[in-house]
Amino acid sequence: MKIEKVGVAGCGLMGSGIAEVAARAGMSVVVRELDSDAVDAGRGRIEKSLARALKKEKISAEERDATLGRIDFVTEVEGLADRDLVIEAVVEDLAVKNELFGTLDELCPEDTIFATNTSSLTVTDMAAAVNRPDRVVGLHFFNPVPVMKLVEVVKTIATSEQTLERAFEFARAVGKEPITAKDNSGFVVNLLLVPYMLDCIRQLERGVASIVDMDRGMVLGCGYPMGPFTLCDFVGNDTTLRIAEIMFDEYREERYAPPPLLKRMVAMGLHGRKSGRGFYDYSGDEPVPMDLV
Ligand code: CAA
Ligand code: NAD
């Protein structure tokens, strides 16, 4: 059965992008956020992204309006009760994700699929918390969702073949190229990318080079689209810290250990673009590197 009605829990950096691509693919989308301020912020992210696509003539004004017309925003979790698929993109915290899925398990019809956009938690830990483990799957999108083509589809030992098939179908329907990932913390890409990001912070702590020179080094020397610190600020330092803590807990290898500097930055609210300051200060016309070490 084709997925036509999608629920998205969380309309932050990722949830807003997931809602956008599902609505642009013609699906009915209900987004649930915690309160009206968060709804307004999430709606604003989607409107800004669609305005960028309109400006680049990737969509028409009519398509923009039709896309927004397919997205409803709610603050009550009951708003997600009639969905074929619910994707959670809430904070990287297992307790929060499992509380949400536990509530949805009571609300949604038994054939509704639950998907998680987690970066580093294992999908099994969420499947174990609901009465439909065969209908739980990982759908790990990449930031920014409207641009990055990859979706990691994560199967647990309980995920049914039908659920997996529908997850792949959904990923393709929203214009993505899915790959299968095993349910290990970090799946495929983060297992490789996160240690690189953390190592760059460790080298910064050691004074190897400045924030700007390390960023320019990777862009000019390796053709990366963003340097590591620009990327950290883009992903969100709070999220990267949570990912590091979860992966270090899973693997106990130093390369996943959260660097002390990252912990201090998050404690001080330096979350990156999302809070206006991280490794860079974004309050002016151009990002200005922060004096952190
Ligand atoms: N939303 C929607 N579209 C966006 C966008 C956004 N936030 N940012 C850029 N774009 C679009 C632009 O409209 C432009 O579209 P066209 O090519 O059709 O003109 C295109 O992307 C390129 O954008 P720009 O030219 O403005 O800027 P850029 O060339 O620097 O590209 C970028 C921006 C695509 C973000 C690029 O810098 C990039 O790819 N950065 C790396 C991102 C990355 O590594 N993501 C993975 C993070 S890790 C993760 O997501 C997993 C996890 O669990 C943490
Ligand atoms: P974010 O902080 O930008 O957004 C999280 C949103 O979830 C917030 O708006 C918050 O209000 C909302 N929220 C929290 N609890 C909620 C609940 N119970 N119901 C509904 N909404 C709730 O975070 P993000 O960067 O979008 O990350 C979300 C998830 O996606 C995390 O699991 C993260 O690991 C994963 N992820 C992040 C990236 C990235 O680059 N930031 C990439 C891939 C995956």
Side-chain angles (χ1 to χ4, degrees):
M1 186 179 71
K2 194 163 160 296
I3 287 172
E4 290 169 344
K5 296 188 289 183
V6 179
V8 180
C11 200
L13 293 176
M14 297 305 287
S16 57
I18 295 168
E20 177 189 337
V21 300
R24 281 177 70 172
M27 298 170 191
S28 147
V29 179
V30 172
V31 172
R32 189 258 172 155
E33 256 291 356
L34 288 175
D35 55 45
S36 56
D37 288 347
V39 162
D40 292 346
R43 182 192 287 110
R45 288 186 190 97
I46 296 171
E47 287 170 343
K48 186 171 165 222
S49 181
L50 289 172
R52 180 198 296 251
L54 180 65
K55 189 163 170 240
K56 299 236 173 190
E57 296 180 352
K58 289 160 77 172
I59 57 172
S60 67
E62 293 71 26
E63 285 166 326
R64 186 269 319 272
D65 296 344
T67 298
L68 286 172
R70 284 191 279 269
I71 307 176
D72 289 313
F73 296 87
V74 300
T75 55
E76 300 306 320
V77 67
E78 286 74 12
L80 300 174
D82 70 340
R83 304 284 95 186
D84 303 323
L85 164 70
V86 178
I87 306 171
E88 70 77 17
V90 302
V91 61
E92 185 72 343
D93 179 308
L94 183 61
V96 174
K97 294 179 188 292
N98 276 351
E99 186 193 356
L100 174 70
F101 277 144
T103 306
L104 290 171
D105 208 22
E106 302 299 317
L107 284 172
C108 298
E110 64 178 22
D111 59 358
T112 299
I113 291 174
F114 293 164
T116 173
N117 187 53
T118 184
S119 302
S120 55
L121 292 162
T122 55
V123 183
T124 302
D125 284 336
M126 295 173 218
V130 294
N131 299 312
R132 63 183 82 195
D134 58 323
R135 288 181 170 78
V136 177
V137 67
L139 276 175
H140 183 223
F141 289 82
F142 285 74
N143 186 359
V145 173
V147 181
M148 309 319 277
K149 298 299 281 180
L150 181 67
V151 172
E152 291 175 318
V153 180
V154 186
K155 174 184 184 328
T156 75
I157 47 179
T159 307
S160 70
E161 278 310 309
Q162 190 203 39
T163 297
L164 207 55
E165 261 170 56
R166 296 180 73 196
F168 266 85
E169 260 170 43
F170 170 77
R172 293 194 183 97
V174 299
K176 301 304 174 187
E177 293 179 31
I179 65 169
T180 309
K182 288 193 171 60
D183 192 22
N184 53 273
S185 179
F187 312 134
V188 176
V189 173
N190 278 348
L191 201 62
L192 307 173
L193 181 71
V194 171
Y196 153 72
M197 293 165 74
L198 300 179
D199 274 352
C200 291
I201 299 171
R202 277 187 266 276
Q203 298 314 327
L204 180 67
E205 286 174 319
R206 292 178 190 138
V208 162
S210 70
I211 289 171
V212 173
D213 284 350
M214 288 175 78
D215 265 3
R216 283 170 53 81
M218 295 311 291
V219 169
L220 299 175
C222 298
Y224 282 29
M226 281 177 173
F229 302 111
T230 301
L231 178 59
C232 284
D233 280 352
F234 189 70
V235 165
N237 297 315
D238 53 335
T239 297
T240 301
L241 176 57
R242 286 294 296 128
I243 295 169
E245 289 166 342
I246 292 161
M247 294 181 81
F248 183 65
D249 186 49
E250 176 84 354
Y251 300 116
R252 294 282 162 200
E253 293 174 38
E254 198 261 346
R255 61 194 176 130
Y256 298 112
L261 174 60
L262 182 61
K263 292 192 258 187
R264 308 295 179 270
M265 288 175 67
V266 172
M268 290 304 292
L270 300 180
H271 295 177
R273 278 188 176 277
K274 68 200 302 190
S275 66
R277 293 191 310 164
F279 288 94
Y280 292 90
D281 181 333
Y282 297 92
S283 56
D285 294 340
E286 289 300 318
V288 175
M290 296 282 286
D291 183 8
L292 298 169
V293 286

